[in-house]
Amino acid sequence: MSKINKNKKRKIKTIFGILVLFCFFAPSVFSASDSINITQTVTGGSSPVPPSVGGGTVPIDATPPIISEIIVFNITTHSVEISWVTDTASTAELDYGKTESYEIGTGKDHPLSLLFSHHIKLSGLEEGMRYYLKIRSKDSNGNEVKETGYSLITLSLTKDPPNINLFTAEAVEGKIILNWKNPLSDNFAGVQINRKVNFPALNIDDGEIIYSGTNEIFEDTNIEDKIKYFYTAFSYNSSNNFSSGAVVSAIGIKTDKSEPSEPSEPSEPPIIPFSDVENLETVPNIEDKKIVIKWDNPDDANFKEVEIYRSEDFPILIPSGGELIYQGQGNSLEDKNVKENIVYYYTVFTKDKNGNYSSGKTTTGTFKEMPISPISEISIDDISFIAYDKALLLPKYENNKIYVFTGSEFGVYYDVKNLPKTLKTILITVDKSSYVLNLDERKSFYKTKLIAPQIAGIYPMTISVLDFKHGKIFQIKAELEVVSSVAVYELKIKNYESKNFLGKIVSNIKYQILSVFNKKEFLDLEKVNVKGARITLYKFDKNSNDWQLWKSEKYHQKNLNLTNQNGEYGFMIPNGKYKITVEKKGYHNYSEIIEVENNIINNEIEMARKAGWIWIGSVSMLLIFGVVVQDVWKVKNIQ
């Protein structure tokens, strides 16, 4: 045997030995990050003990505990649960009652223990009743903290369905076309539309019923020229419960056929959160029989002008929805075209240089003296926004903003304690859609249930209280930020699926090799959503000093959930610190700690595929094959 052949065999043995070692150690290398530790320990959390220094005792701390993460959940017809967290180990007591005197009694949790996390369940409550809460915690040194200002309303047996969405009215010659989107509730049964002239129907027996069914379009052909029609749509369920009602209006067009038809009006301009006017007021001038309107224009470089619309029967909710009486950059107007004993509604919209409108401000006016309304003011604190069938109270952030997911249901509840007991209407306007709030059976709050828009964005909201007896309108401005669910995804080679078999092999080898060296920038990659990934949410518990599975059933959601067909997921939860994990066969596990500040978890998550043994073997065999071919080529050249 020649020396060359011996060297060749020695090399082949060496390569084979390396391959065996590689296969032996590879499993530990490639699976090192496949598992996660869900029992991560967080430092701190022990009860405070006064230390001793130089034989003496440090004075006892007189600082009371700090209460945070207050959650009111699992509201039923006769019970409710409340939880909170303290920064030091403390007791837990909850005073409650039908008034702020908390006259009913006190609920207690772990009376003989000092804990960080606290939970109390109140039972034996009345259906559809408001209860006021006072939360108390006391530490080992006797320092006590009290939190007030919390209330809840127990459920009623009748569950109102959500209102329809995207309700619009378009007037064309000879008819008014109504369009809307039905709610996606399981027990949705249909929609009833009531029509009235000059004022909306406020209940299902008010006005003329012109439609009842499950369609999403209706044409009203029984109209008169230049008459303003109001349409209120009430959705109803299989139990014959009705929603509070959605409102639109349009002015009929019924011209002579011999006359040329006028060009159609352009579509409504977009309404954005542009600055409204300030200090809007009306001053009656009885002697000259006129109404003076005054306001201050916004101090905004993009401001162009204001438009003022007037109506005798209902406040104007969108630009071009009534009689335009002023357009310009002034800050006052004398309205002389007024009649006696008529209360006029004036709505002022600002307009920017791009043609966008503000959400508008409304006031009333008459040239006769009117008594002062008993409403001194209305407060956003009297209004509650609640998601998931009263399970999750949505906090209000800067600009009175609340956060919801696209297409999700949420309720609006207005406390009546600061409102006069006279005839009134309360409306909430979201973008261009208006909804009526109904008084509940116990007359303790006004309510409605809405469906968030399907398109993500920031939508202006206005809550309007119309006091007809005194000719007054009071408004609160707020914002609805609608966010979309996001996806769990992986990075794949672009157009990879369209390649032939050999192309797939070459692309995967290239991807695996460059990924090992973190050279993804050399690849033409795209995001591909991962469906069926297992999402699990954990919340840190100070008592056990460990991460605990989030109790999703309290909020009518699913933990241990799977991403949908589009790889999407999302949670609406109380604010706080959470850990989210994602798992799927063939991928490395993912884990992240998230500080939630707007009640929503919808972080984009990238998952990485495991290096499959087929591709590891393919790369190894190609490398070996290349070395062998190179050696054979060298042997032949020497011979």
Side-chain angles (χ1 to χ4, degrees):
M1 183 181 293
S2 66
K3 185 177 181 181
I4 293 176
N5 288 336
K6 288 182 179 180
N7 290 336
K8 177 183 175 181
K9 286 188 175 182
R10 189 180 297 114
K11 284 188 176 182
I12 292 174
K13 289 180 179 180
T14 302
I15 293 171
F16 181 79
I18 293 173
L19 180 59
V20 171
L21 290 173
F22 175 80
C23 293
F24 181 79
F25 289 107
S28 61
V29 173
F30 282 91
S31 63
S33 60
D34 290 354
S35 61
I36 56 173
N37 179 16
I38 62 172
T39 58
Q40 177 178 345
T41 301
V42 177
T43 57
S46 58
S47 302
V49 178
S52 297
V53 179
T57 302
V58 175
I60 296 176
D61 183 11
T63 304
I66 297 175
I67 292 177
S68 63
E69 298 184 32
I70 298 174
I71 305 171
V72 180
F73 59 94
N74 266 11
I75 302 175
T76 69
T77 53
H78 301 292
S79 65
V80 66
E81 296 181 54
I82 302 95
S83 66
W84 67 93
V85 174
T86 50
D87 65 331
T88 58
S90 310
T91 61
E93 294 184 314
L94 182 70
D95 303 325
Y96 66 104
K98 296 179 182 179
T99 69
E100 293 183 354
S101 298
Y102 314 106
E103 71 284 354
I104 293 180
T106 301
K108 297 183 179 182
D109 184 27
H110 54 82
L112 301 179
S113 303
L114 301 178
L115 302 176
F116 292 93
S117 296
H118 314 284
H119 172 269
I120 293 178
K121 181 176 181 178
L122 300 179
S123 302
L125 307 180
E126 295 183 30
E127 172 195 344
M129 179 63 68
R130 177 177 291 279
Y131 290 89
Y132 295 88
L133 311 175
K134 178 166 67 175
I135 299 169
R136 295 187 286 124
S137 282
K138 184 184 296 185
D139 63 19
S140 59
N141 297 321
N143 302 312
E144 186 177 37
V145 60
K146 301 176 182 180
E147 287 282 350
T148 60
Y150 291 89
S151 66
L152 62 99
I153 300 168
T154 54
L155 291 180
S156 300
L157 288 176
T158 57
K159 290 189 176 182
D160 298 332
N163 281 296
I164 62 172
N165 198 18
L166 303 176
F167 193 26
T168 61
E170 180 186 5
V172 297
E173 186 175 345
K175 60 185 175 181
I176 295 176
I177 303 173
L178 305 176
N179 283 276
W180 65 91
K181 292 293 183 183
N182 291 328
L184 299 177
S185 302
D186 294 335
N187 62 347
F188 168 76
V191 174
Q192 174 181 309
I193 300 180
N194 292 30
R195 187 185 74 171
K196 283 186 70 174
V197 174
N198 296 329
F199 196 79
L202 300 181
N203 58 68
I204 58 175
D205 299 318
D206 190 11
E208 174 190 5
I209 300 175
I210 61 171
Y211 175 78
S212 181
T214 58
N215 292 335
E216 295 184 329
I217 185 171
F218 176 76
E219 295 185 358
D220 184 10
T221 57
N222 185 23
I223 63 170
E224 298 295 333
D225 191 32
K226 298 181 181 179
I227 299 296
K228 188 170 188 178
Y229 296 93
F230 284 85
Y231 301 91
T232 307
F234 304 94
S235 61
Y236 56 90
N237 58 25
S238 54
S239 301
N240 210 33
N241 299 316
F242 287 81
S243 69
S244 64
V247 179
V248 294
S249 64
I251 298 175
I253 304 172
K254 201 166 187 178
T255 58
D256 191 318
K257 293 294 182 181
S258 61
E259 298 178 2
S261 59
E262 296 181 1
S264 59
E265 292 292 332
S267 59
E268 290 292 346
I271 300 177
I272 64 169
F274 186 63
S275 302
D276 278 306
V277 298
E278 298 292 338
N279 303 319
L280 177 63
E281 63 174 343
T282 57
V283 180
N285 188 320
I286 301 174
E287 183 178 348
D288 296 332
K289 295 185 177 181
K290 64 183 179 182
I291 301 172
V292 180
I293 309 163
K294 298 180 180 180
W295 66 91
D296 292 331
N297 292 323
D299 186 15
D300 194 311
N302 205 28
F303 169 74
K304 180 181 178 182
E305 61 186 5
V306 300
E307 291 183 5
I308 301 180
Y309 293 85
R310 187 184 71 176
S311 173
E312 297 181 13
D313 44 45
F314 200 73
I316 303 304
L317 303 174
I318 60 175
S320 73
E323 179 187 3
L324 178 64
I325 62 171
Y326 178 79
Q327 186 174 15
Q329 297 181 338
N331 53 19
S332 66
L333 171 68
E334 293 184 354
D335 186 7
K336 300 178 181 180
N337 185 26
V338 292
K339 302 174 184 178
E340 192 173 358
N341 297 323
I342 297 292
V343 175
Y344 294 93
Y345 298 96
Y346 298 97
T347 304
V348 182
F349 297 95
T350 60
K351 189 177 180 180
D352 68 13
K353 295 176 182 177
N354 297 319
N356 300 311
Y357 286 82
S358 68
S359 56
K361 277 194 173 181
T362 303
T363 187
T364 59
T366 177
F367 68 82
K368 292 193 68 175
E369 290 286 355
M370 299 288 287
I372 299 175
S373 172
I375 305 177
S376 58
E377 62 178 351
I378 60 176
S379 172
I380 193 69
D381 295 332
D382 296 328
I383 302 172
S384 299
F385 299 92
I386 305 178
Y388 294 111
D389 201 13
K390 296 188 179 181
L392 179 62
L393 180 66
L394 302 177
K396 308 174 191 77
Y397 299 92
E398 187 178 0
N399 297 326
N400 296 328
K401 180 186 291 185
I402 65 169
Y403 291 84
V404 295
F405 277 120
T406 55
S408 62
E409 292 183 10
F410 66 98
V412 182
Y413 300 84
Y414 195 119
D415 198 320
V416 303
K417 62 183 180 181
N418 292 329
L419 297 174
K421 297 179 180 179
T422 57
L423 177 63
K424 70 185 72 64
T425 296
I426 299 180
L427 293 173
I428 179 170
T429 302
V430 180
D431 197 18
K432 299 180 183 179
S433 300
S434 298
Y435 306 90
V436 180
L437 274 69
N438 283 341
L439 189 62
D440 79 307
E441 296 80 4
R442 294 181 178 273
K443 298 183 179 181
S444 58
F445 58 93
Y446 288 85
K447 62 179 181 178
T448 188
K449 188 181 290 185
L450 309 181
I451 299 176
Q454 296 289 344
I455 300 175
I458 299 177
Y459 295 84
M461 288 195 301
T462 303
I463 296 92
S464 303
V465 178
L466 288 64
D467 181 3
F468 297 109
K469 180 177 180 180
H470 304 93
K472 296 288 184 180
I473 293 182
F474 300 87
Q475 291 183 322
I476 299 173
K477 298 294 183 181
E479 290 182 347
L480 178 70
E481 180 153 347
V482 181
V483 299
S484 58
S485 300
V486 297
V488 176
Y489 68 92
E490 65 170 311
L491 294 176
K492 281 190 173 182
I493 299 172
K494 201 168 187 180
N495 300 322
Y496 164 73
E497 295 299 334
S498 64
K499 295 180 181 293
N500 56 30
F501 180 74
L502 182 60
K504 290 182 180 181
I505 293 177
V506 173
S507 295
N508 264 284
I509 292 172
K510 180 182 179 183
Y511 177 76
Q512 297 295 342
I513 293 174
L514 294 180
S515 294
V516 170
F517 296 101
N518 197 24
K519 299 295 184 181
K520 292 183 180 180
E521 62 268 21
F522 294 122
L523 301 174
D524 186 12
L525 300 176
E526 63 179 344
K527 290 182 179 180
V528 178
N529 295 345
V530 178
K531 68 178 181 179
R534 181 187 176 99
I535 308 284
T536 310
L537 203 59
Y538 301 90
K539 197 172 191 307
F540 187 76
D541 181 71
K542 286 188 176 181
N543 293 323
S544 62
N545 202 36
D546 198 0
W547 293 98
Q548 301 292 333
L549 190 68
W550 177 58
K551 298 178 180 179
S552 57
E553 65 277 1
K554 293 181 180 180
Y555 307 97
H556 304 279
Q557 298 173 69
K558 290 182 179 180
N559 206 344
L560 303 172
N561 203 5
L562 299 179
T563 55
N564 63 16
Q565 290 294 319
N566 298 319
E568 296 172 335
Y569 81 99
F571 295 101
M572 287 189 67
I573 58 179
N575 289 334
K577 184 177 289 187
Y578 295 83
K579 176 189 282 187
I580 185 170
T581 67
V582 189
E583 302 168 283
K584 187 177 181 181
K585 186 177 180 180
Y587 294 82
H588 291 287
N589 292 337
Y590 176 91
S591 177
E592 180 184 4
I593 294 177
I594 301 173
E595 189 71 39
V596 179
E597 297 178 348
N598 66 347
N599 297 102
I600 285 177
I601 287 183
N602 66 333
N603 301 32
E604 269 199 330
I605 294 176
E606 178 187 347
M607 295 193 75
R609 278 189 181 272
K610 296 179 181 178
W613 288 109
I614 294 177
W615 301 114
I616 294 173
S618 299
V619 173
S620 302
M621 292 304 296
L622 285 172
L623 291 175
I624 295 169
F625 180 74
V627 173
V628 172
V629 170
Q630 184 181 22
D631 285 346
V632 171
W633 179 262
K634 288 181 178 179
V635 170
K636 286 185 178 181
N637 286 340
I638 293 174
Q639 290 176 342

